[in-house]
Amino acid sequence: MAFGQAGPWWMAQDFMPVKRPRVREDQRNMPRLVQSATNIMRDVNVEATVRVRWGECDLQGHAYYASYIPWFDLGREKFALDIGADYRKYQIATTDLQVRYHAAAKYLDDLVVKTWAATPGTLTYYYEIYRKRGGQLIAEARTVHAFVDPERGVLTKIPDGMHHAFVEFLENRRQNKGKRAVEPAATTSVIARK
């Protein structure tokens, strides 16, 4: 091909590879969401397992990014069921969702969803999804939720029954691990004002 003759882009003489921006060292070593949470009960978590289904994947067999949200819901639901709370009795709104993706989950991967909750009185949950085989961190997330008063449609505080069930759950888990239980009076707070 003579100079100046049109050809494929990769044969152009002035073609220069695109330089990717460098990742700063502080960005590379960013702490995980669970590690940076100040009000989390790190020693109490629940685990749920899920298998990546074909309908959750793109044509390359990678889990579509929005498929992770139901997996986070699965972890939160497992936490609530372990506490003894039935979400069908409450109206709950998700007010915030933050996700960091670390690797692609693939078709038929077995995943473990680890879920932590913030201190009783809030509805903040932290999640980490790991590939069961090899233990690779796939994604992590944080969600914040609020109870809604069904009659007035406004945010309200956590119902006392659910709050007490959560405190009891934490006490039982910690006693089983040989740790000191949380003082219920020190853990009360309100999500939103009436």
Side-chain angles (χ1 to χ4, degrees):
M1 181 181 334
F3 179 74
Q5 185 178 358
W9 64 269
W10 63 85
M11 295 184 70
Q13 295 199 8
D14 59 350
F15 172 73
M16 294 293 294
V18 176
K19 287 189 175 183
R20 295 180 186 256
R22 297 183 110 194
V23 177
R24 294 189 336 242
E25 189 64 30
D26 60 333
Q27 289 175 326
R28 187 176 300 129
N29 296 324
M30 185 181 301
R32 296 198 323 258
L33 293 171
V34 170
Q35 294 171 332
S36 60
T38 57
N39 62 344
I40 193 171
M41 303 297 186
R42 286 183 178 81
D43 58 333
V44 179
N45 67 44
V46 299
E47 292 184 5
T49 57
V50 64
R51 176 171 284 166
V52 180
R53 299 171 301 172
W54 183 251
E56 297 166 326
C57 296
D58 59 19
L59 293 176
Q60 297 169 338
H62 298 145
Y64 179 66
Y65 75 94
S67 298
Y68 292 74
I69 296 171
W71 300 337
F72 301 136
D73 287 343
L74 178 70
R76 187 177 67 250
E77 184 176 328
K78 172 84 165 83
F79 205 98
L81 291 172
D82 284 2
I83 289 172
D86 184 356
Y87 274 178
R88 293 176 290 191
K89 296 179 182 177
Y90 309 106
Q91 286 189 3
I92 300 173
T94 301
T95 59
D96 189 34
L97 167 66
Q98 178 183 1
V99 181
R100 291 182 187 161
Y101 299 96
H102 296 274
K106 298 175 183 161
Y107 176 58
L108 292 180
D109 273 352
D110 288 318
L111 306 176
V112 176
V113 182
K114 289 187 175 185
T115 307
W116 293 263
T119 54
T122 66
L123 276 180
T124 303
Y125 294 91
Y126 294 85
Y127 315 86
E128 289 182 345
I129 297 178
Y130 292 89
R131 185 172 285 115
K132 197 170 189 176
R133 185 176 184 175
Q136 181 183 17
L137 178 64
I138 302 293
E140 58 180 321
R142 175 183 154 272
T143 59
V144 180
H145 309 272
F147 283 92
V148 178
D149 182 327
E151 295 170 3
R152 299 183 308 159
V154 297
L155 301 181
T156 186
K157 69 181 187 99
I158 293 177
D160 290 336
M162 185 174 215
H163 174 77
H164 293 304
F166 186 48
V167 171
E168 185 177 317
F169 170 77
L170 290 176
E171 287 176 350
N172 290 338
R173 277 287 178 103
R174 287 190 169 161
Q175 285 174 357
N176 290 340
K177 289 184 176 187
K179 298 193 177 194
R180 187 176 60 81
V182 165
E183 295 295 325
T187 60
T188 57
S189 66
V190 175
I191 289 180
R193 301 189 194 287
K194 283 187 177 179

